[in-house]
C-alpha cells in the first residue's frame, strides 16, 4: 500500500525534472554585429584587475618550483564560442620570449557574461625565469590574441613591471 502512495510524488518529479535541469545559468549572448572589437589584458585569478603599461604584476611561485603570472581578459564585441586565445610573454628590454606560450580554446561556458563584455579570469602564463632580475629591465611584455571562428583576430599588448 505504501508503494502506491509514492506514485504521485514520482510522477511529479518526472514532470519537474526537465524544467529543473534547464534552469541552469544561461550563457547568454552579447550583440556582436557591428560592435567594436577590443581585447583587454588584466591580472587576476577570480576578478579582472585593469593594468596599464608600467604597472606591477606579481611573480607567482608555483608548487612545482616554476613561476607564472596570473592574467585575465575582457572581450568586447567578440564571440568567444569556438574562438582561440593565444598568450605569450617577452622580456620587454630584449624582446626575447620568456614564456611557455599558452593556447586555449574558448567557449561561452568558460567565460562570464558581464553587462557589456565577456570576462575570462584565472589563466596562468608560465615563465622560464626565476626572478625579476632575469629580465633586462625588469619588465615583461604580455601579448594576447583572440581568433574568432570566422578568422578575425583581435590583439592586445601590455608591458608590466615584474615584482616578487
Amino acid at each position: 500500500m505504501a508503494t502506491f502512495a509514492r506514485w504521485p510524488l514520482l510522477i511529479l518529479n518526472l514532470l519537474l525534472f526537465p524544467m529543473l535541469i534547464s534552469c541552469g545559468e544561461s550563457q547568454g549572448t552579447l550583440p556582436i554585429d557591428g560592435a567594436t572589437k577590443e581585447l583587454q589584458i588584466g591580472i587576476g585569478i577570480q576578478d579582472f584587475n585593469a593594468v596599464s603599461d608600467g604597472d606591477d604584476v606579481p611573480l607567482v611561485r608555483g608548487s612545482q618550483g616554476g613561476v607564472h603570472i596570473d592574467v585575465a581578459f575582457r572581450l568586447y564585441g567578440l564571440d568567444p564560442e569556438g574562438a582561440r586565445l593565444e598568450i605569450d610573454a617577452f622580456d620587454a628590454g630584449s624582446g626575447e620570449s620568456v614564456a611557455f606560450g599558452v593556447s586555449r580554446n574558448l567557449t561561452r561556458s568558460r567565460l562570464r557574461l558581464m553587462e557589456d563584455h565577456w570576462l575570462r579570469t584565472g589563466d596562468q602564463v608560465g615563465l622560464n625565469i626565476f626572478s625579476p632580475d632575469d629580465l633586462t629591465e625588469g619588465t615583461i611584455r604580455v601579448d594576447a590574441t583572440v581568433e574568432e571562428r570566422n578568422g578575425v583576430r583581435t590583439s592586445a599588448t601590455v608591458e608590466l613591471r615584474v615584482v616578487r
Side-chain angles (χ1 to χ4, degrees):
M1 188 86 154
T3 307
F4 292 111
R6 293 185 185 161
W7 278 101
L9 183 59
L10 177 63
I11 292 170
L12 182 62
N13 283 332
L14 289 173
L15 292 173
L16 292 177
F17 184 72
M19 291 188 312
L20 291 174
I21 62 172
S22 68
C23 290
E25 185 178 326
S26 169
Q27 297 308 317
T29 59
L30 290 172
I32 57 170
D33 293 335
T36 301
K37 296 181 182 297
E38 181 183 4
L39 176 64
Q40 292 180 356
I41 302 172
I43 58 174
I45 297 172
Q46 294 182 342
D47 296 313
F48 181 93
N49 299 300
V51 291
S52 299
D53 286 343
D55 286 350
D56 292 347
V57 61
L59 192 61
V60 180
R61 295 218 173 273
S63 61
Q64 297 177 340
V67 296
H68 66 269
I69 57 172
D70 295 310
V71 292
F73 301 94
R74 288 180 179 157
L75 289 73
Y76 292 90
L78 301 168
D79 182 4
E81 193 62 37
R84 188 138 188 90
L85 171 64
E86 304 280 341
I87 315 164
D88 212 341
F90 301 87
D91 181 323
S94 70
E96 188 176 321
S97 177
V98 293
F100 305 104
V102 176
S103 183
R104 300 279 188 259
N105 290 321
L106 300 180
T107 62
R108 290 186 190 111
S109 64
R110 293 186 177 171
L111 284 84
R112 283 187 277 170
L113 179 60
M114 308 307 278
E115 188 174 314
D116 61 347
H117 65 278
W118 291 96
L119 177 64
R120 176 155 174 111
T121 58
D123 281 304
Q124 298 176 341
V125 179
L127 304 175
N128 59 13
I129 62 170
F130 293 102
S131 107
D133 299 333
D134 295 335
L135 300 167
T136 306
E137 298 171 0
T139 57
I140 195 168
R141 186 184 83 233
V142 179
D143 294 343
T145 299
V146 171
E147 183 173 350
E148 295 175 89
R149 279 186 307 200
N150 61 7
V152 173
R153 297 170 61 88
T154 304
S155 300
T157 298
V158 66
E159 286 191 15
L160 302 168
R161 189 170 72 95
V162 178
V163 296
R164 297 178 201 265

